């Protein structure tokens, strides 16, 4: 086989040629993996080959080493590790050799593949010479080789966790990188690669950052790089500062003054990409201090791990004016442009973060700016003043803001009706929304919305909903928060007298010709949803009247025939919004018995419509419809059985949707709803559902986040059908066991991985719990006995790892109880041997979390019964 | 390693409404899963394993579906009860049901072996033995015969209509109590169900531990208040060694004592009469050693209440019943008494013998129908104890001696214990 030809054909425009090439590549891979990989690495390394075949060779290599999906990734890692060392050495040799290639794309591809191999091998103490061989003679290499080496180091730092590289190597990497960044480096590409590499390598520099001398050196070089004549380098250098601000916040004291000066200059004078990073530095500092101060607040002892240095507070007198300046640099049409992100937007956002950080102190610094500019003839000044006002509404204590808001409210309502400029109106409506979001609601002592002004506010907002789309959208947003303020009211709310008008106005907005702009239609439906969700009991009749109205709208979308692909997309979006709205209405009405009863008259029709919406598509199901069906199943309870036959094909389709994993996830959740609604009536559909769920679990394509809920779903099914789950045990139990195995390997890699591992654990534990409880009191409980040792070991291993979250703790200790409860005395000796039944249980019993304690109480009881025999 | 996207949400909420609804749906599902799980746990465990004596009683339907194959008689599930269903019973049905739920100690006729190791002892408060059930945000206490003593709000889980809902409706508690009139306090002597979890088949050791740790958490031991009409209190429970026995017998308690109760540490809560819980009294620790008549006087002759059964048999309330005599055929004919009726008899001193440790009564004198409030005949052990109390009572010294001697034995037999 001529590999180059095949690799080029695999990128051919002609589908047949491409397919054939892909097939032969696959065949080659399946027949002889080592020689396939060798061949690809040879291709990548060969400077005589076309760049496109080399790039694809590298890409396939990369994909043979890593996958997004966790199980798949695990398999690939195992596969690589088990390859013949001689083959691997040869491949790695080719990769390193490619770094010196004169072809930039080949070098860059090789860099990424090397990082992937390093990601697998370094944690296993393999390829120890990698870093050394990359760094040897770096100074004698030509610039392009140096650049590729630095880029590779950057990728490696991104790929591997910092604890697998020993400090000596970290030191040599950092030395090389920082030297590459130095102003003495003549080649800008090298300097850029070094600066970007540093950004990734910062996580490795923990120890170096504790040494004053080393830290000073790194900081000096980074700060110098922000002054480089090359804009890309300045941008990358500021990006380093952003990373440093979040990673080494506590080490910044001695540099913050200089950084402030550099950043201020960049914000005022530099090109936008650099200025944006400079603002981001301060936003990032705000993020850090908000987190630290939040921790202070939660813990009265006041000892947070990281002390707050109050950088923002100290910089306030100079920082705020700088940010206020940026507010005046609006772009003309930024409110119409969805993708816009410019300096005034970044500055305004940063101002909002500053307000959350320093709270009350921001008010006197911004107030003069607002007063001075709010009535100026130049719209930029009025808009900047309004935006500044809106920005500082979150953070300061309500009593600091109330006096200003009470004065400003009328001004704002007036501006929203009368200001000639759309930007001003946009920001005014947004600011009103912020007022309602933060200063209105059951927790605020003196309400700003009163009997006296409620009507005026609503009149203005409903009027603004007829304004241009971007203004109308913000008016909807303001109404959203206005309604949300009443979410705790039960029987009556100030909005009730206007409820009908509000609903009518929102429906009118959804039907506007231009409702597709500025996501106005979406905003209107979202607001309608919130208005319904937060409505008081007295307006239930209106909510009920809304059911046929929304059904009619949904029906119209279903009727439409012969749509163009663009119309089809619009139909799809509209159906989503309408199903979302029905979901909220069903939940609202389903929440209490009398209103549920009222809703039930529509249940058949609503379900009929949902089925027709499903039928509009061929291969996929609508996520929103699925969500709404979950709500419907919960509301109708076992009555839902009558829809099952017709609904089942779509349920299956949803479970098969690997590509849109959210759809799959929602559908899995709906299976849970159905189990609880139908109980044993779901039995006839379980063969199909279980088959699908098992396929999902075995799939490498399905997004990993869906797998934990699938396990939980096993538990739901077992709980619903009890001992009938027997026939699925031989499939489900090994899956659970395998996943438990994987979870012991994945935990602790990093925060994200630990979070996923905990989700996975929770799913596995919930599955076991459901199975045990489902089998309980059946003679078939004995079938579960063989699984008990492994499950107890799993509980022990989770406990010993000490990295579980509260949810897992609760589920795990509950499972101990379920196992003991179901197996009883037979499992007594096993249980008494498990660590989980002693120390873990003891810890949970004294937990502050009442859910954990509740589960632990259960476990203690069940365990004591089982152990006593 | 291209620069990261800096864009932050601008004038828009950080998450979309759809994402919010998705999260709310997930939250709702998680909540419902938790409810379903909790219900499975509590319902399953609230199936009380009752030793019912009347298998035809309509409540005795097994939880499993009709037509399911019958399980062997020894399977406790066969007589499953659902306490939640029972809590919905009203009137006489409720009385009948609850009348059979209490664990009734036998009277101590002789000292059980290993008293000091396997038993607890505590001073029984004088008062009305009752079941206290908290459910559906109210609390009801029922006497031994099933009739309601009080209907009241309490700080027990789900025991009052307070603002803080203490859990779903199926959360309920059943406590075994003695209501002590003088201080209007419910002294809790055992815990049968707690927050929906059944403790029927837990050992006394565990039940007492659970009782001690859980009851105070709820505030049920606090002084009375609007939502908590009666105080609950725990009685001090001792290991039945020399010190424990002494403390229970002679120690000061805030309530009037009515004898000592002995509970076997390893015994489950068993409804009806059980030899694994024992009561013992003498004049020192009880005002009620000998049974009194309706006027509070100790009659000259021992009185017993027995149940008339088929073939004129007069039986105790034990399971199986012990036949202590036969009703005179003439009386039966004249009175037209039906089987199942409780009858009162006087026993002539001369008409009783103890043969091989067994009580034999040669001569019972019919004295009339028993008080209508009585739900049961006397137990065999009661008749026995009352008889010995009149003649050669078991004394506290006997108990102390037994604790002593078994302590001695213990040190001797410890080697044997080790190799077992």
């Amino acid at each position: 086989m001529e590999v180059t030809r095949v690799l080029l054909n695999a990128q051919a425009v002609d589908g047949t040629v491409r397919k054939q090439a892909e097939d032969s590549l696959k065949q080659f891979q399946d027949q002889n993996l080592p020689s396939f990989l060798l061949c690809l690495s040879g291709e990548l390394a060969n400077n005589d080959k076309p760049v496109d075949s080399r790039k694809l060779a590298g890409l396939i290599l990369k994909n043979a080493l890593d996958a997004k999906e966790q199980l798949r990734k695990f398999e690939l890692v195992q596969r690589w590790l088990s390859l013949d060392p001689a083959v691997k050495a040869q491949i790695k040799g080719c990769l390193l050799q490619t770094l010196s290639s004169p072809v930039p794309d080949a070098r860059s591809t090789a860099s990424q593949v090397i990082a992937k191999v390093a990601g697998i091998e370094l944690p296993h103490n393999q390829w120890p010479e990698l870093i050394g061989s990359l760094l040897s003679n770096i100074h004698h290499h030509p610039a392009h080789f140096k650049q590729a080496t630095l880029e590779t180091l950057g990728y490696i730092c991104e790929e591997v966790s910092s604890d697998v590289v020993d400090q000596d190597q970290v030191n040599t990497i950092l030395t090389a990188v920082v030297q590459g960044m130095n102003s003495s480096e003549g080649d800008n590409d090298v300097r850029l690669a070094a600066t970007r590499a540093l950004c990734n390598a910062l996580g490795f520099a923990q120890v170096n950052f504790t040494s004053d001398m080393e830290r000073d050196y790194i900081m000096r070089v980074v700060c110098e790089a922000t002054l480089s004549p090359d804009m890309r380098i300045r941008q990358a250098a500021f990006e380093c500062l952003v990373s440093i601000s979040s990673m080494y916040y506590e080490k910044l004291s001695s540099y913050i003054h200089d950084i402030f000066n550099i950043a201020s200059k960049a914000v005022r004078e530099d090109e936008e990409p650099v200025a944006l990073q400079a603002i981001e530095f301060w936003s990032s500092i705000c993020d850090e201090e908000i987190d630290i101060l939040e921790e202070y607040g939660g813990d009265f002892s006041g000892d947070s791990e990281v002390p707050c240095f109050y950088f923002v507070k100290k910089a306030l007198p100079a920082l705020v004016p700088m940010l206020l300046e940026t507010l005046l640099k609006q772009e003309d049409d930024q409110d119409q442009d969805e993708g816009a992100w410019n300096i005034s937007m970044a500055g305004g956002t940063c101002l909002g973060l500053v307000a959350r950080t320093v709270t009350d102190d921001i008010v006197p610094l911004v107030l003069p700016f607002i007063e001075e500019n709010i009535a100026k003839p130049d719209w930029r000044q009025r808009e900047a003043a309004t935006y500044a006002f809106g920005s500082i509404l979150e953070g300061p204590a309500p009593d600091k803001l109330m006096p200003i808001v009470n004065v400003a409210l009328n001004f704002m309502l007036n501006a929203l009706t009368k200001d000639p400029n759309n930007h001003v109106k946009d920001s005014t409506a947004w600011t009103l929304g912020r007022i309602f979001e933060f200063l209105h609601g059951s927790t605020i002592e003196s309400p700003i919305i009163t009997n006296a002004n409620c009507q005026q506010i609503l009149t203005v907002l409903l009027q603004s909903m007829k304004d241009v789309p971007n203004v109308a959208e913000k008016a909807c947003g303001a109404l959203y928060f206005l309604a949300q303020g009443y979410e705790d009211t039960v029987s009556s709310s100030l909005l009730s007298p206007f409820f009908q008008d509000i609903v009518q106005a929102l429906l009118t907005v959804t039907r506007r010709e231009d409702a597709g702009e500025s996501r106005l239609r979406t905003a209107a439906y979202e607001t309608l949803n919130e208005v319904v969700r937060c409505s008081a009991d007295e307006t239930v009749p209106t909510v009920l009247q809304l059911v046929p109205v929304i059904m009619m709208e949904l029906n119209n979308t279903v009727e439409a025939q012969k749509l163009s692909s663009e119309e089809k997309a619009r139909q799809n979006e509209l159906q989503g919004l309408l199903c979302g709205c029905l979901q909220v209405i069903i939940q609202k009405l389903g929440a209490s018995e009398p209103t549920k009863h009222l809703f039930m008259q529509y249940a058949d029709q609503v379900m009929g419509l949902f089925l027709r919406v499903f039928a509009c598509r061929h291969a996929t199901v609508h996520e929103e419809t699925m969500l709404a069906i979950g709500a419907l199943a919960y509301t109708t309870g076992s009555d839902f059985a009558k829809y099952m036959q017709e609904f089942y094909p779509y349920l299956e389709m949803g479970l098969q949707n690997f590509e849109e994993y959210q759809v799959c996830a929602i559908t899995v959740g709906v299976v849970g709803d159905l189990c609880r609604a139908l109980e044993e009536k779901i039995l006839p559909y379980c063969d199909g559902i279980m088959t699908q769920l098992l396929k999902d679990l075995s799939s490498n394509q399905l997004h990993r986040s869906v797998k934990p809920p699938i396990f939980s779903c096993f538990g739901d099914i077992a709980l619903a059908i009890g001992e009938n789950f027997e026939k699925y045990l031989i499939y489900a139990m090994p899956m659970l066991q395998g996943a438990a195995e994987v979870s012991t390997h994945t935990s602790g890699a990093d925060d994200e991985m630990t979070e996923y591992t905990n989700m996975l654990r929770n799913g596995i534990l919930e599955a076991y719990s459901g199975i045990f409880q489902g089998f309980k009191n059946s003679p078939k409980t004995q079938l579960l006995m063989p699984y008990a040792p492994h499950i107890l070991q799993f509980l022990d291993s989770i406990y010993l790892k000490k990295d579980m979250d509260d949810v897992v703790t609760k589920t795990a200790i509950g499972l101990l109880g379920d196992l003991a409860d179901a197996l009883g005395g037979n499992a007594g000796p096993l249980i008494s041997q498990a660590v989980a039944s002693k120390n873990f249980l003891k810890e949970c019993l004294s937990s502050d979390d009442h859910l954990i304690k509740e589960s632990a109480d259960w476990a203690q009881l069940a365990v004591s019964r089982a152990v006593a025999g | 390693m291209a620069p990261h996207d800096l864009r932050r949400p601008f004038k828009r909420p950080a998450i979309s409404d759809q994402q919010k609804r998705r999260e709310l749906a997930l939250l709702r599902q998680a909540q419902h899963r938790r409810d379903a799980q909790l219900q499975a746990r509590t319902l399953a465990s609230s199936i009380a394993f009752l030793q019912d004596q009347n298998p035809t009683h309509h409540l005795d339907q097994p939880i499993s579906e009709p037509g399911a194959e019958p399980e062997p008689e020894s399977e406790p599930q066969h007589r499953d009860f659902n306490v939640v269903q029972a809590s919905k019973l009203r009137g006489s049905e409720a009385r009948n049901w609850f009348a059979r739920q209490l664990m009734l100690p036998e009277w101590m006729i002789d000292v059980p072996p290993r008293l000091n190791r396997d038993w607890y002892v505590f001073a029984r408060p004088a008062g009305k033995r009752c079941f206290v059930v908290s459910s559906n945000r109210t609390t009801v206490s029922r006497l031994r015969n099933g009739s309601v003593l009080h209907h009241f709000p309490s700080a027990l889980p789900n025991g009052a209509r307070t603002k803080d809902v203490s859990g779903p409706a199926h959360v309920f508690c059943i406590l075994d109590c003695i209501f002590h009139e003088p201080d209007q306090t419910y002294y809790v002597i055992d815990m049968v169900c707690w927050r929906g979890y059944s403790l029927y088949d837990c050992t006394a050791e565990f039940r007492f531990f659970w009782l001690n740790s859980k009851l105070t958490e709820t505030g049920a031991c606090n002084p009375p208040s609007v939502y908590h009409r009666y105080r609950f209190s725990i009685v001090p429970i001792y290991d039945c060694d020399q010190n424990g026995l002494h403390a229970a017998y002679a120690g000061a308690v805030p309530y009037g004592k009515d004898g000592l109760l002995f509970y076997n540490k390893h015994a489950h809560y068993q409804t009806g009469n059980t030899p694994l819980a024992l009561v013992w009294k003498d004049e020192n620790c009880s005002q009620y050693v000998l049974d009194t008549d309706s006027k509070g006087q100790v009659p000259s002759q021992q009185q017993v209440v027995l149940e008339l059964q088929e073939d004129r048999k007069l039986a105790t309330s034990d399971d199986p019943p012990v036949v202590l005599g036969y009703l005179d055929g003439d009386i039966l004919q004249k009175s037209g008494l039906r089987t199942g009726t409780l009858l009162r008899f006087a026993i002539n001193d001369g008409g009783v013998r103890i043969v091989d440790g067994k009580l034999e009564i040669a001569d019972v004198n019919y004295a009339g129908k028993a008080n209508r409030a009585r739900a049961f005949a006397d137990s065999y052990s009661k008749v026995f104890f009352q008889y010995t109390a009149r003649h050669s009572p078991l004394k506290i010294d006997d108990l102390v001696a037994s604790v002593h001697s078994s302590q001695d034995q213990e040190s001797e037999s410890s080697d044997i214990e080790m190799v077992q």
Side-chain angles (χ1 to χ4, degrees), chain A residues 200 239 280 287 426-427 473 480 526 583 587 623-624 673 716 776 818 854 857 860 865, chain B residues 1 4 8 11-12 17-18 20-22 28-29 33-34 41 44 198 201 209-210 214:
Chain A
N200 288 333
E239 204 181 333
E280 181 62 18
D287 286 343
D426 186 297
S427 290
E473 183 226 341
Y480 180 101
E526 287 178 351
Q583 184 208 346
Q587 260 166 11
E623 176 185 355
E624 289 283 0
D673 282 329
D716 297 338
K776 198 183 135 111
D818 295 330
E854 181 184 86
D857 281 355
Q860 189 180 22
R865 277 199 297 237
Chain B
M1 285 190 298
H4 298 106
R8 289 172 180 252
K11 286 191 184 175
R12 296 261 167 81
D17 184 69
Q18 187 190 24
K20 183 174 161 183
R21 275 182 294 109
R22 218 183 259 143
R28 175 179 62 77
Q29 284 165 350
R33 177 175 293 133
R34 189 183 147 238
R41 284 170 186 168
S198 159
D201 44 0
F209 157 70
W210 204 254
K214 298 295 153 191

Side-chain angles (χ1 to χ4, degrees), chain B residues 37-201:
Chain B
Q37 210 27 284
L38 200 68
Q39 196 170 358
R41 284 170 186 168
T42 54
L43 272 188
S45 78
S46 65
I47 291 166
F49 301 101
L50 302 172
Q51 314 295 311
D52 194 75
Q53 298 177 357
N54 178 8
T56 58
H57 193 277
H58 75 281
L59 260 174
D60 284 19
Q61 296 303 324
I63 296 296
S64 55
E65 283 172 38
E69 53 181 317
E71 289 161 84
E73 192 62 28
S74 61
E75 286 287 318
Q77 282 95 331
H78 191 54
R79 290 189 288 265
D80 284 353
F81 263 97
N82 186 320
V83 177
V84 176
Q85 284 165 9
S87 71
K88 291 178 185 142
L89 295 176
R90 294 287 173 267
S92 63
E93 285 183 337
R95 278 201 302 281
N96 282 332
W97 194 82
F98 279 99
R100 276 174 281 118
Q101 303 316 305
L102 281 169
M103 173 158 82
L104 303 172
E106 285 193 357
W107 291 68
M108 189 187 281
I109 300 164
D110 51 22
V111 184
R114 295 163 62 90
L115 187 65
N116 64 322
R117 295 190 63 186
D118 291 346
W119 295 74
Y120 290 121
V121 63
F122 60 94
R124 182 196 188 279
K128 292 169 179 154
R129 179 86 184 281
C130 53
F131 250 152
V132 175
V133 179
S134 71
S135 71
N136 294 320
R137 319 183 80 192
T138 185
T139 310
V140 178
S141 57
R142 287 176 182 276
L143 296 172
R144 224 188 114 173
N145 63 12
S147 64
V148 173
L149 174 64
H150 297 130
H151 199 134
F152 61 106
S154 78
L156 294 173
N158 224 340
R161 295 185 178 279
T162 49
K163 260 191 172 176
D164 60 321
V165 184
S166 46
H170 59 268
V171 161
F172 63 94
C173 298
I174 302 179
L175 302 176
D176 185 345
C177 299
I178 291 169
F179 183 68
H180 187 252
E181 286 281 355
D183 62 358
Q184 295 284 298
T185 296
Y186 280 95
Y187 285 93
V188 187
I189 60 169
D190 212 331
M191 186 176 259
V192 182
C193 286
W194 187 251
R195 290 190 190 276
Y197 298 137
S198 159
L199 288 103
Y200 275 97
D201 44 0

Side-chain angles (χ1 to χ4, degrees), chain B residues 391-404:
Chain B
H391 300 92
S392 55
L394 187 64
K395 297 196 179 75
I396 185 69
D397 297 340
D398 301 332
L399 293 173
V400 172
S402 142
V403 169
H404 257 304

